[in-house]
Amino acid sequence: MNALNSINIGRLFHKKLWVLFALAVVLLSNAAFAGGGRVQWKSRKVQESDKSWKLEVAFFLSSPPDTSLVPVRFSFTPVSYFERALVDNHDGPVTRVVPLTGRQPLVESVDIGFLDPGTGKVEPRTRFNFRITRERGFEAGEYDVEIRYARTDQLIGTKQTITLDGENDVIDRRAMDFSGKEPPKKAKKTEDTEPRKAREYSPDDPAYWEGGPKESAPKEEDRPPPASMREGGCGCRVAGMPTGSEQPWAPFALAALGIVAAGRRRTARLSQ
């Protein structure tokens, strides 16, 4: 009985040993894929193009994966934001780096192919690229990136910090004026605000006489009226006799002369 019990105990021990060995192999294979590999970024600073960023990554595993397509997750945790703002006393937007804490990661799930088209074999290394866009919530700033195996959530390589370079929307941070007054305008140069004074010339200066006399011509109403419109009749004057304005009887004498002249002309017509 003791020998039989010893045999049974030995068999049970060997079975447990095989189970432990198989479990160790599985764990080591997953660890070799997740922790034994490394990730190489082509550039950890990516420039924005058409509201998106193209990421290029190379994977180097310790052994070929079981399948040609390996599902992985890229987790992008925002750590800073590139703010562009309008502030007082500056003409254009001012850019500053705003630290971020407690932000939820942006997750992108992709399938990475390890199949070599030339040989048809699954290789332990490959190159992979994909785009992340603003429509998915990405903005210009800095991110901590972790790449994990989707089946076991094991980390591939190490965590890296990348920079998504670009121009975010402009924020207006200028002080608001509720008084309703217009902002003061900048003063122009003295030459523009003060009118230029014309140079005054004296009659002794030759430039004073250039272009004709400087005094204005007399107005029409300042000129004396013609002789026919002056007081005293037709404007005729006999030499040695005073004008009508000098003798009050002059108008009567002229009237008498007119009557006499008219009588003579009538007599002459009757005698003919």
Side-chain angles (χ1 to χ4, degrees):
M1 290 294 296
N2 293 334
L4 184 59
N5 291 335
S6 299
I7 294 174
N8 292 333
I9 292 173
R11 289 177 180 177
L12 183 61
F13 176 77
H14 285 294
K15 287 181 180 181
K16 291 183 178 181
L17 184 62
W18 278 107
V19 171
L20 293 174
F21 178 76
L23 183 61
V25 169
V26 173
L27 293 176
L28 289 175
S29 62
N30 289 335
F33 176 79
R38 63 184 179 89
V39 178
Q40 180 178 350
W41 294 81
K42 181 178 180 180
S43 177
R44 285 196 291 269
K45 184 176 182 180
V46 186
Q47 184 66 38
E48 181 180 8
S49 176
D50 194 20
K51 296 184 179 181
S52 65
W53 294 267
K54 183 180 180 181
L55 306 180
E56 299 183 68
V57 188
F59 291 87
F60 300 91
L61 306 181
S62 57
S63 61
D66 297 335
T67 58
S68 60
L69 290 177
V70 178
V72 299
R73 292 195 307 268
F74 285 78
S75 297
F76 300 85
T77 303
V79 294
S80 68
Y81 174 79
F82 297 161
E83 181 185 87
R84 299 173 66 235
L86 296 175
V87 297
D88 295 330
N89 302 324
H90 284 81
D91 294 335
V94 177
T95 303
R96 69 187 185 100
V97 179
V98 180
L100 303 175
T101 57
R103 295 299 183 93
Q104 294 295 325
L106 302 173
V107 180
E108 294 289 329
S109 298
V110 295
D111 293 334
I112 301 177
F114 286 85
L115 180 64
D116 186 359
T119 61
K121 296 181 179 180
V122 178
E123 300 290 341
R125 58 186 180 181
T126 187
R127 295 184 182 275
F128 180 75
N129 64 80
F130 69 106
R131 286 186 174 273
I132 54 178
T133 64
R134 288 187 179 269
E135 295 180 354
R136 301 280 294 175
F138 290 92
E139 295 177 306
E142 296 177 332
Y143 295 80
D144 284 341
V145 185
E146 291 182 347
I147 307 174
R148 294 181 178 273
Y149 187 43
R151 295 174 182 173
T152 62
D153 199 34
Q154 294 294 320
L155 183 65
I156 305 175
T158 58
K159 181 172 65 175
Q160 299 289 336
T161 300
I162 67 171
T163 301
L164 302 182
D165 201 2
E167 295 184 349
N168 293 321
D169 295 337
V170 178
I171 303 173
D172 194 347
R173 296 193 179 279
R174 293 173 295 185
M176 299 184 65
D177 185 9
F178 296 97
S179 62
K181 298 180 181 179
E182 296 183 358
K185 298 181 179 180
K186 295 182 179 180
K188 296 182 179 180
K189 296 181 180 180
T190 307
E191 298 180 357
D192 298 335
T193 55
E194 297 182 359
R196 296 183 179 180
K197 296 182 179 179
R199 182 179 177 184
E200 297 180 357
Y201 296 96
S202 64
D204 297 335
D205 196 329
Y208 177 84
W209 303 103
E210 293 181 1
K214 305 303 178 182
E215 297 179 358
S216 59
K219 297 181 180 180
E220 188 67 24
E221 57 269 15
D222 297 337
R223 297 179 180 178
S228 59
M229 298 179 61
R230 297 177 188 175
E231 184 180 359
C234 65
C236 301
R237 182 179 179 184
V238 180
M241 294 183 63
T243 63
S245 61
E246 297 174 354
Q247 299 295 335
W249 47 264
F252 300 101
L254 292 176
L257 289 176
I259 294 172
V260 173
R264 288 181 180 179
R265 286 194 297 271
R266 183 178 182 184
T267 303
R269 286 196 301 271
L270 293 176
S271 63
Q272 289 179 357

